[in-house]
Amino acid sequence: MNVFVTALLLILPISALAARRLPLSSVVKMALMWVAIFAVLIAVVMLWQQGVGHT
């Protein structure tokens, strides 16, 4: 289920960028930025949850 939700969170912004009919290079750059943002957020949440579990 987590994989499905993660995929959905990544597909939604990418499809929104594609719908604006931007050049492919711009869409790829913005999509990679979104992937990086979500990866950082997921990592922060996972680290925070591990820290809360130890206290």
Side-chain angles (χ1 to χ4, degrees):
M1 189 63 174
N2 286 338
V3 174
F4 175 73
V5 172
T6 304
L8 187 62
L9 288 174
L10 295 175
I11 290 170
L12 287 174
I14 292 169
S15 65
L17 291 171
R20 298 185 76 191
R21 299 188 188 271
L22 297 171
L24 184 60
S25 61
S26 296
V27 172
V28 169
K29 286 180 201 173
M30 287 188 249
L32 289 174
M33 288 171 56
W34 275 107
V35 168
I37 290 168
F38 279 110
V40 168
L41 288 174
I42 289 169
V44 167
V45 168
M46 289 175 65
L47 289 172
W48 178 72
Q49 287 180 346
Q50 286 179 353
V52 169
H54 291 298
T55 57

